[in-house]
Amino acid sequence: MLRITELKLPLDHPDEALRDAIIQRLGIRDEQLISFNLFKRSYDARKKNSELLFIYTIDLEASNEAELLLKFADDRNIGVAPDVTYKYVGQAPANLEQRPIVVGFGPCGIFAGLLLAQMGFKPIILERGKEVRQRTKDTWGLWRKSVLNPESNVQFGEGGAGTFSDGKLYSQIKDPQHHGRKVLEEFVKAGAPDEILYINKPHIGTFRLTGMVEQMRQDMIAMGAEVRFQEKVSDLLIDDGQVTGVVLESGEQLHSRHVVLALGHSARDTFRMLHAKGVFMEAKPFSVGFRIEHPQTLIDKARLGKYAGHPKLGAADYKLVYHAKNGRSVYSFCMCPGGTVVAATSEPGRVVTNGMSQYSRNERNANSGIVVGIDPERDYPGGPLAGIELQERLEA
Ligand SMILES: Cc1cc2nc3c(=O)[nH]c(=O)nc-3n(C[C@H](O)[C@H](O)[C@H](O)COP(=O)(O)OP(=O)(O)OC[C@H]3O[C@@H](n4cnc5c(N)ncnc54)[C@H](O)[C@@H]3O)c2cc1C
C-alpha cells in the first residue's frame, strides 16, 4: 500500500478527477491503479481570496508499487502507507474467572468496555445516569423547564458528557499508533457517516451521537458485556492495597480485582469518596473561562472570504491564542460552528455552559469557549481536591 500526500484539487472538482489526479501524479496507466482510499481531506483557508483547494492524502494499491517506490525515493509526498490497524493487547483466557468492572459509560467507559468485550473479557459496566433516550428527556427538562435531575443530565448518563455536543472528533494529542483511527472506525460501524474517516476536522452532532451510543451498547451486550444504568458506585472495596470490587448505592457489592474508573470530569462526590479511601490522586492544570457567540456569517466571511457559504465547506471554525505578558495564555476552545450555547451543570445552584450543534451546523451563531490556563501551584494550592473547590466557587 502506498500513500500520496499533498495532492491538491479545486474545491468543485468532479469525483472522477481524484482517480485521474492520482494516475497523473504517479505517471501510471489506469489499469495499474488497483484501488485507492481517501485517508484525509483538508483545505488551506489562508488562500481564501485566491483559489481555495482541497488537499488530499490518498492510500492506494498499484500493480507496480516496488517500481514506484524507487521512482519516488526522493519525493517526501509519496511513500509506504503506515499500518493503521488496531492491535489488541491480549485475549481473555477460556477460563475467565472474574469479569472486569467499568464504572462510567462516557467515551472512556464505552471504549474501555468495547475493547474488553472485543477481547472476550465480558465486562460489567455501571453507569449512574439513565439510558440515552430517557436521559435526553431529562436534559431537555433543564433546558426547557429549568428542572435539573442531578443524576441524569448533560454530564451524567449513557454516552457521558459529550452526548449532547458538537461531536467534534479531533484532538491535538500526538497519536503515533493511530489509536484515534480505531475510535473513528468504531463510530462508523455504529452509524456515523463514512466521511469522519477522512475529513480534517470531523464532527457528528447531537442527534446522530445518541443513536450511535445505543448501537455501541447493543454491540457490547452481543459480545457478552452487561451494561447497568442508574447504578451509582458509592464505595470501593480495597483489601491490602488492592481493589477487590465496588459497592453500589443500593448496597449491592460486585467483586473484581480489575476496576476501570471512567468517571469523567463532573463526579465530584465520587472523587471525594476515592480520596477519602486513599486512592492516589494529584491536582492537574486545567482551563477556565466563558462562552462567546458571533453570527456564523461573520465567521464564515472572515475565514473563507469569497468561499463563505460554499456547500462543500460548511460553517467555518476558528482558533485563537493570546500569550499575555504575565505568562498566561488565553485561547479559544471547543469552538462550535453553527451551534448553540447550552446549560451544562449537573449540580443544583451552579452555572456551567458548553456548546453543542447538530450534524448540519446550521444554527445562526458560532460559539466558542474562551479560556485561560490555570495550575495548582499558582491558582489552587491545597491538595488534589482544591481545583474542584475552585470550580465550585466559580460555578456558584
Ligand atoms: C455540552 C458538551 C459538549 C462537548 N463537546 C465536545 C466535543 O465536541 N468534542 C470533544 O472531544 N469533547 C467534547 N466535550 C467534552 C467531552 O464530552 C469529554 O471530554 C468526555 O465526555 C470525557 O469522557 P469520559 O468518558 O472521560 O467522561 P464522561 O463523558 O464525563 O463520562 C463519565 C461517566 O461516568 C459516570 N459516572 C460518574 N461517576 C459515577 C459513579 N460513581 N458511578 C457510576 N457512574 C458514574 C457519569 O454519569 C458519566 O456518564 C463536550 C462536553 C460537553 C458537556
Side-chain angles (χ1 to χ4, degrees):
M1 184 83 90
L2 300 184
R3 173 166 290 182
I4 307 179
T5 57
E6 297 289 316
L7 192 67
K8 295 181 183 171
L9 284 171
L11 221 50
D12 286 316
H13 72 79
D15 288 350
E16 321 77 76
L18 198 52
R19 185 178 177 92
D20 295 343
I22 297 166
I23 288 168
Q24 206 178 4
R25 178 75 173 85
L26 295 175
I28 57 176
R29 293 188 309 279
D30 186 72
E31 65 273 18
Q32 287 177 302
L33 180 59
I34 299 168
S35 66
F36 70 93
N37 175 37
L38 227 172
F39 187 77
K40 193 168 151 198
R41 188 189 73 193
S42 57
Y43 60 85
D44 184 354
R46 286 171 301 181
K47 300 204 177 114
K48 58 181 183 282
N49 290 318
S50 53
E51 195 181 19
L52 209 152
L53 300 169
F54 275 136
I55 306 167
Y56 289 99
T57 298
I58 303 287
D59 288 346
L60 63 103
E61 266 184 285
S63 57
N64 56 341
E65 286 182 17
E67 184 191 316
L68 290 169
L69 281 173
L70 276 178
K71 177 175 165 190
F72 292 102
D74 296 328
D75 188 331
R76 64 190 176 88
N77 292 321
I78 296 176
V80 178
D83 178 7
V84 296
T85 49
Y86 183 75
K87 313 279 183 305
Y88 291 94
V89 293
Q91 280 298 320
N95 59 342
L96 181 67
E97 278 174 14
Q98 276 188 341
R99 299 167 74 179
I101 294 172
V102 177
V103 186
F105 201 58
C108 177
I110 291 175
F111 275 90
L114 182 71
L115 293 182
L116 285 166
Q118 288 174 344
M119 291 187 285
F121 285 98
K122 301 183 171 43
I124 299 170
I125 302 162
L126 304 166
E127 165 58 52
R128 68 194 287 168
K130 298 180 189 172
E131 56 89 18
V132 72
R133 281 176 198 269
Q134 192 53 45
R135 177 189 176 202
T136 305
K137 287 190 194 148
D138 293 334
T139 304
W140 281 90
L142 173 64
W143 294 342
R144 289 280 156 83
K145 298 182 190 147
S146 302
V147 179
L148 173 70
N149 179 340
E151 295 296 332
S152 178
N153 47 57
V154 179
Q155 309 288 354
F156 294 160
E158 181 173 24
T163 306
F164 311 104
S165 80
D166 187 42
K168 272 185 275 299
L169 300 180
Y170 49 91
S171 82
Q172 293 178 329
I173 57 161
K174 292 201 172 73
D175 183 17
Q177 291 174 292
H178 307 283
H179 287 158
R181 185 81 188 169
K182 167 74 172 166
V183 173
L184 297 179
E185 283 170 357
E186 291 295 343
F187 281 162
V188 170
K189 264 199 252 168
D194 285 355
E195 65 169 32
I196 67 165
L197 293 173
Y198 62 82
I199 58 174
N200 190 29
K201 289 182 178 172
H203 96 117
I204 296 182
T206 291
F207 283 158
R208 289 189 182 215
L209 270 171
T210 46
M212 285 161 54
V213 163
E214 269 183 330
Q215 183 61 50
M216 292 178 86
R217 181 206 337 145
Q218 277 155 15
D219 292 347
M220 278 181 231
I221 292 171
M223 286 183 279
E226 186 182 338
V227 186
R228 292 170 60 173
F229 295 105
Q230 295 179 270
E231 295 281 26
K232 178 166 151 187
V233 169
S234 56
D235 204 355
L236 269 193
L237 300 170
I238 300 175
D239 184 16
D240 198 19
Q242 158 74 51
V243 67
T244 56
V246 299
V247 182
L248 304 179
E249 209 165 41
S250 61
E252 186 186 351
Q253 296 192 354
L254 295 172
H255 297 275
S256 177
R257 289 166 65 85
H258 304 285
V259 178
V260 180
L261 295 171
L263 303 170
H265 155 281
S266 306
R268 292 167 178 162
D269 50 356
T270 309
F271 300 145
R272 289 191 164 110
M273 175 276 285
L274 295 171
H275 191 241
K277 295 293 285 192
V279 172
F280 176 77
M281 265 182 208
E282 57 187 337
K284 285 178 65 188
F286 60 94
S287 296
V288 290
F290 54 88
R291 284 232 161 219
I292 190 166
E293 282 188 299
H294 296 91
Q296 182 61 48
T297 46
L298 181 85
I299 305 298
D300 289 346
K301 194 90 196 122
R303 290 280 288 127
L304 301 173
K306 65 178 182 180
Y307 294 96
H310 191 290
K312 282 198 177 165
L313 298 177
D317 66 352
Y318 63 81
K319 176 139 189 69
L320 295 171
V321 184
Y322 175 73
H323 300 290
K325 288 198 193 81
N326 64 4
R328 305 258 187 195
S329 291
V330 180
Y331 57 98
S332 60
F333 172 75
C334 186
M335 195 263 152
C336 294
T340 324
V341 177
V342 291
T345 189
S346 54
E347 296 177 5
R350 305 222 157 93
V351 174
V352 181
T353 58
N354 216 311
M356 69 171 236
S357 71
Q358 302 307 341
Y359 177 68
S360 55
R361 282 180 168 166
N362 61 3
E363 296 289 333
R364 201 165 64 86
N365 286 335
N367 73 74
S368 178
I370 300 293
V371 295
V372 59
I374 58 174
D375 59 72
E377 289 75 38
R378 259 197 301 192
D379 303 302
Y380 44 98
L385 299 179
I388 290 181
E389 284 150 22
L390 172 65
Q391 288 171 2
E392 287 172 331
R393 284 199 298 280
L394 290 171
E395 292 171 17

